[in-house]
Amino acid sequence: MLQISNVNQFYGQSHILWNLSLNLRQGTCGCLIGRNGVGKTTLLKCITGILPVRDGSIQLGDKAIDKLSTESRARAGIGYVPQGREIFPLLTVEENLKISLSARKDKLRTIPDHIY
């Protein structure tokens, strides 16, 4: 289970996430919906470790992850697919896809054919 408890995040003086709490049970699928500027991307970046959590906590299963590195969270199974151009702009599409292969638990090091 992914458990987010009372998370707060700011950009400068602008308070973006206000005591946000959310539980997502293992094996379920959730959807984050909202208009531009309400904190969807900020929340995802906090979950993945791209942004630190100012206040509150994030747990995966029974383990607190809000202090873990982005790489450790990826190894635990947390991923983020950015929208638009928030990728490695100097890499090809294929190179961007290959970067994530090292996080796979099954040790697969090639992009599956169905992706192409």
Side-chain angles (χ1 to χ4, degrees), residues 1-5 7 46-49 53 56-70 72-74 76 78:
M1 171 174 25
L2 180 66
Q3 182 176 352
I4 300 165
S5 301
V7 167
C46 286
I47 293 169
T48 59
V53 171
S57 66
I58 301 174
Q59 284 191 224
L60 183 62
D62 59 355
K63 184 176 183 180
I65 64 166
D66 47 280
K67 304 289 188 242
L68 294 180
S69 68
T70 300
S72 296
R73 296 178 203 206
I78 294 176

Side-chain angles (χ1 to χ4, degrees), residues 29-94:
C29 180
C31 182
L32 205 53
I33 299 174
R35 63 178 176 77
N36 291 345
V38 295
K40 301 178 302 291
T41 300
T42 299
L43 175 59
L44 293 174
K45 287 182 176 183
C46 286
I47 293 169
T48 59
I50 295 170
L51 282 175
V53 171
R54 172 84 65 95
D55 296 306
S57 66
I58 301 174
Q59 284 191 224
L60 183 62
D62 59 355
K63 184 176 183 180
I65 64 166
D66 47 280
K67 304 289 188 242
L68 294 180
S69 68
T70 300
E71 296 82 9
S72 296
R73 296 178 203 206
R75 280 190 288 278
I78 294 176
Y80 172 64
V81 179
Q83 70 180 31
R85 291 287 176 196
E86 289 186 44
I87 56 175
F88 297 105
L90 299 179
L91 301 181
T92 66
V93 171
E94 184 175 45

